[in-house]
Amino acid sequence: MNLTSTASKELIDLFLSLATIDGISLHERNIADHVKTLLQKNNIKVIEDGTGAKINGNTGNLICFPPHYDASKPAIALCAHLDTVTPTKDLKPIVTDERISSDGTTILGGDNREGLSILLSVMMNLQSITSPVKNFICVFTVGEELGMYGANHVDLSPYNVTEAYVFDCSKRPGIYIKDCAGCMIFTAKFHGKSAHAGVAPEQGINAIALSSKAISSVRFGRIDEETTSNIGRITGGGATNVVPNEVVIDGEVRSFTKEKIEHQFNIIKEGFQQSLNGIGTYSITSEMDFHPYVLDANTSIVKTVEKAISAAGLRPEGIRYTGGSDANSYNAKGIPSVNIGIGAQKPHAFEEFILIEDLIISKEIAIALIKE
Ligand SMILES: [Zn+2]
């Protein structure tokens, strides 16, 4: 691999130019407009969908069509997300021969500007690919970091998308997420009865005590090798002289099948109910944050991604993973999807970095994917 070639320098510069543009979730306007301008200059048609308004954001998803795109044929989608978890406009990138990082005072935004720069670079340099190229589109989503909002709302049905390849996994190139856990989030409300804590405590029912008893009556953490659960937030109570009447707890359950998630959620529900022992009441609601997916080794997408990784000179390794991505959303829509390792390491942290060799080889994987 030639890390100092013109093409490599161009890719690094493209990444750096994108990384310093702000685009936190629901505020992706600047980065989206920049991407649109870049692509339009290169004769690549871009449409922005109406997702922004639906998710209270200021930007929609971008769907990009290379010049050879044929609407009458099925297409594959190459995907990344536009948003970052925290601002990057003050990013001061440190570039060495081996890696790119921030100066330690901001995130780098390699999650997911690395994926974005790879796919933009592929689209803008299609003429350098000498062999025939598949019919493909690129999809750049908004609001991914909040729970795949953009991917959940994007409508890919007009484009007959057969497979979606997401370039958003922090693992090093070679690895891809073949099976991914889903995540259910729940909110439980414990209702007691308020009373003056000093004058008439016997007339009150302490909702903090109810909730703590409930939480300690159920096992959380690692439940089995593919199931985890957590209580992540507890809110309630007020003044020290009032017996609190309401406590709200928020938590999650993750596993690799919907059945296992529901089974663990039922254990939590029943455990909470029993812990009350007739004192106070509680209610609980739940929703799927993202759905699990498990891909068979014989599916076309698994074979194709492994072939592409091999073509880039790496050993493919499909892993099971418990962190969600847009791939979960596409699979839930019925479009087979994998999340591909691009080595955007330590995502969301100020220590975030990418290795230049990973940036370059991830682009090789993308090119191999679109070659016939
Ligand atoms: Zn990401």
Side-chain angles (χ1 to χ4, degrees):
M1 197 185 323
N2 184 353
L3 301 187
T4 56
S5 73
T6 315
S8 304
K9 282 204 193 91
E10 265 177 32
L11 178 57
I12 293 165
D13 287 345
L14 178 60
F15 169 76
L16 293 174
S17 68
L18 296 169
T20 45
I21 299 172
D22 248 356
I24 59 166
S25 306
L26 306 183
H27 301 273
E28 300 90 348
R29 176 50 56 207
N30 290 350
I31 183 72
D33 284 349
H34 184 82
V35 167
K36 278 184 186 173
T37 307
L38 261 184
L39 289 178
Q40 281 156 358
K41 265 190 215 161
N42 284 273
N43 275 326
I44 294 160
K45 189 182 145 200
V46 190
I47 59 168
E48 180 176 334
D49 74 4
T51 293
K54 293 179 194 156
I55 63 173
N56 285 323
N58 68 2
T59 314
N61 300 303
L62 301 183
I63 302 164
C64 320
F65 306 89
H68 75 288
Y69 172 71
D70 182 347
S72 70
K73 290 185 181 151
I76 61 166
L78 305 186
C79 313
H81 64 86
L82 293 166
D83 57 319
T84 59
V85 278
T86 49
T88 55
K89 75 173 181 329
D90 297 324
L91 166 69
K92 287 168 205 75
I94 310 284
V95 186
T96 68
D97 287 345
E98 286 92 35
R99 52 185 249 161
I100 308 173
S101 66
S102 77
D103 66 354
T105 63
T106 68
I107 59 164
L108 174 66
D111 175 14
N112 187 221
R113 298 295 166 70
E114 185 188 356
L116 185 63
S117 58
I118 289 164
L119 299 184
L120 288 176
S121 178
V122 168
M123 275 192 287
M124 295 190 301
N125 293 289
L126 278 179
Q127 74 290 344
S128 68
I129 303 174
T130 46
S131 47
V133 171
K134 288 178 194 168
N135 201 33
F136 79 95
I137 60 172
C138 283
V139 181
F140 302 136
T141 55
V142 291
E144 191 273 350
E145 298 288 1
L146 300 176
M148 302 69 154
Y149 287 5
N152 288 344
H153 283 86
V154 74
D155 180 10
L156 297 180
S157 58
Y159 318 114
N160 200 355
V161 172
T162 53
E163 289 163 357
Y165 297 88
V166 177
F167 283 74
D168 186 26
C169 172
S170 59
K171 301 278 181 194
R172 304 232 15 224
I175 292 172
Y176 69 97
I177 312 299
K178 189 174 99 40
D179 304 333
C180 189
C183 179
M184 173 191 271
I185 48 178
F186 64 82
T187 297
K189 281 187 187 159
F190 291 85
H191 306 279
K193 196 170 167 229
S194 58
H196 193 296
V199 178
E202 354 0 58
Q203 288 171 16
I205 298 172
N206 191 314
I208 293 177
L210 295 181
S211 64
S212 66
K213 210 173 143 205
I215 294 166
S216 57
S217 74
V218 178
R219 204 170 124 218
F220 289 95
R222 190 168 297 285
I223 306 300
D224 62 38
E225 64 169 8
E226 53 178 26
T227 310
T228 58
S229 66
N230 185 47
I231 298 290
R233 182 167 50 221
I234 179 160
T235 35
T240 55
N241 62 357
V242 180
V243 177
N245 73 334
E246 188 179 272
V247 165
V248 179
I249 63 174
D250 297 288
E252 64 159 51
V253 178
R254 291 184 194 222
S255 196
F256 284 79
T257 64
K258 196 132 190 277
E259 293 68 35
K260 285 192 90 164
I261 292 171
E262 271 162 9
H263 175 73
Q264 190 56 29
F265 180 57
N266 284 332
I267 290 173
I268 293 168
K269 276 202 299 195
E270 281 160 24
F272 282 4
Q273 186 61 48
Q274 278 172 17
S275 77
L276 291 178
N277 216 358
I279 300 163
T281 58
Y282 106 103
S283 59
I284 191 163
T285 55
S286 68
E287 62 177 306
M288 287 304 289
D289 192 19
F290 51 88
H291 293 269
Y293 69 83
V294 175
L295 295 170
D296 191 275
N298 289 318
T299 50
S300 154
I301 190 163
V302 168
K303 287 182 179 165
T304 307
V305 77
E306 295 213 345
K307 215 172 122 196
I309 290 169
S310 301
L314 298 170
R315 192 178 63 84
E317 187 190 348
I319 64 166
R320 288 163 79 74
Y321 196 62
T322 48
S325 74
D326 282 349
N328 293 71
S329 184
Y330 298 133
N331 276 300
K333 287 177 197 284
I335 301 169
S337 182
V338 288
N339 190 12
I340 295 171
I342 55 173
Q345 301 194 55
K346 297 192 189 279
H348 304 190
F350 287 180
E351 296 78 31
E352 200 184 356
F353 70 96
I354 57 182
L355 297 175
I356 289 168
E357 63 173 306
D358 286 359
L359 175 67
I360 292 164
I361 205 148
S362 298
K363 184 180 161 186
E364 295 301 316
I365 295 172
I367 290 171
L369 276 174
I370 60 168
K371 280 188 185 170
E372 283 289 7

